[in-house]
Amino acid sequence: MSAAEIELRNPILAAILAWMVPGLGHVYQGRIGKAFLFFFCVMGLFLLGTHLGSNRVVYYRWDRKEWSWPYLAQAGVGIAAVPAFFRTMDPAKWDVELDDLHRAGKIVDIARIFTMIAGLLNLLVIYDAFAGPALYDEEEKLLAELDKKPLSEDAPA
Amino acid sequence: MNLLLADININWYLPPLILAISLVYSATRFESWRLIWIYSIRWAVYILTFLGGTYAFLYFVSLDVGFYWYVAACGILLILYFRPLRGKRADPASSRPSS
């Protein structure tokens, strides 16, 4: 078993698709099962986070009042995080809205963590679409260890 | 602000997080579904053990007990940690490949 056995097709295109929608790069490569797994886990986490934060935890602001560092992680989730760039909020309402958000307490922090972790997990998914599984070359050995069988027939006794 | 699910216990937010992290992390390391399930369960156990250990440690620290109890607890933990290593070192034959 070698890494060449996985049909990665065009890895760069697969990585871009994986960034756009979690799992889409794997659909492009024909790895449908993993595509569903990544989509439900990453998007589920992201949507749960945005829902918990009343759709206000994913935003982009980079000025003297606030540098939204969490967005650097949230942006990893792809198209779902892009609207934060174009979200037009009245600057006069910015502080009121953010104060309102922070008054909600730790639930907002949990919501923000959910969305950030979803974005960071999608970076792993992008890498998987680009280069294949990280430990693919060791799979045969690990499966043989699980079955307690010799690694291959021509292995020295 | 309308925050749904805001009234439930904060610990209930942990299972979906652990589930997603362990599944995605394992799936990006292997292509075999058998290995993905096994390693995702293993990672979930690791994370729960780490968080549980941290919780237990912080709970113990928050108790109003004397300094020497902390020292005794740390000593017991160190003994429990190094005990398996000592057992392996005592048996050098097990570390050598049989010819």
Side-chain angles (χ1 to χ4, degrees):
Chain A
M1 193 181 287
S2 67
E5 286 179 24
I6 297 180
E7 183 62 50
L8 296 176
R9 296 183 71 179
N10 184 344
I12 295 174
L13 178 61
I16 292 169
L17 290 173
W19 173 76
M20 286 168 69
V21 178
L24 191 60
H26 291 76
V27 172
Y28 166 70
Q29 292 171 332
R31 300 152 81 189
I32 305 295
K34 286 178 86 170
F36 274 106
L37 176 79
F38 291 141
F39 182 79
F40 282 114
C41 287
V42 175
M43 286 307 290
L45 212 56
F46 186 78
L47 293 177
L48 183 60
T50 50
H51 176 71
L52 286 173
S54 294
N55 304 319
R56 294 183 189 183
V57 289
V58 183
Y59 59 90
Y60 177 79
R61 188 179 187 186
W62 209 264
D63 56 25
R64 288 183 180 180
K65 286 210 167 183
E66 185 178 355
W67 291 357
S68 52
W69 292 106
Y71 188 72
L72 295 179
Q74 290 162 344
V77 91
I79 285 177
V82 168
F85 260 119
F86 307 107
R87 187 176 173 195
T88 54
M89 293 170 68
D90 184 357
K93 290 181 181 174
W94 252 111
D95 296 329
V96 177
E97 187 158 342
L98 285 177
D99 284 347
D100 187 26
L101 188 68
H102 291 140
R103 259 199 297 277
K106 53 194 170 188
I107 193 74
V108 173
D109 296 325
I110 290 172
R112 191 169 283 140
I113 286 168
F114 270 40
T115 52
M116 288 170 68
I117 288 179
L120 293 174
L121 283 178
N122 203 37
L123 298 183
L124 293 177
V125 176
I126 292 167
Y127 182 79
D128 185 64
F130 179 73
L135 299 179
Y136 189 58
D137 291 335
E138 296 178 26
E139 273 196 8
E140 190 184 6
K141 183 182 156 194
L142 291 168
L143 285 168
E145 279 176 8
L146 284 173
D147 294 333
K148 299 204 184 300
K149 287 192 297 192
L151 190 58
S152 61
E153 294 297 322
D154 53 352
Chain B
M1 177 181 285
N2 177 26
L3 287 168
L4 296 173
L5 303 173
D7 294 331
I8 65 171
N9 189 304
I10 197 168
N11 292 318
W12 287 111
Y13 296 114
L14 197 57
L17 202 59
I18 291 176
L19 192 74
I21 290 172
S22 55
L23 272 173
V24 171
Y25 185 74
S26 304
T28 54
R29 302 190 86 70
F30 302 108
E31 196 70 13
S32 157
W33 281 99
R34 189 177 170 206
L35 287 173
I36 290 172
W37 293 126
I38 289 171
Y39 276 82
S40 63
I41 292 168
R42 194 175 288 183
W43 272 105
V45 171
Y46 285 161
I47 296 168
L48 278 173
T49 307
F50 175 75
L51 291 176
T54 309
Y55 179 88
F57 175 75
L58 291 175
Y59 177 73
F60 184 68
V61 168
S62 73
L63 296 176
D64 188 18
V65 293
F67 172 75
Y68 291 106
W69 283 108
Y70 288 123
V71 176
C74 290
I76 291 168
L77 286 174
L78 282 173
I79 289 168
L80 287 174
Y81 181 75
F82 284 109
R83 206 173 160 188
L85 289 179
R86 195 181 60 185
K88 280 181 185 173
R89 281 176 191 155
D91 185 14
S94 64
S95 62
R96 281 201 301 264
S98 58
S99 57

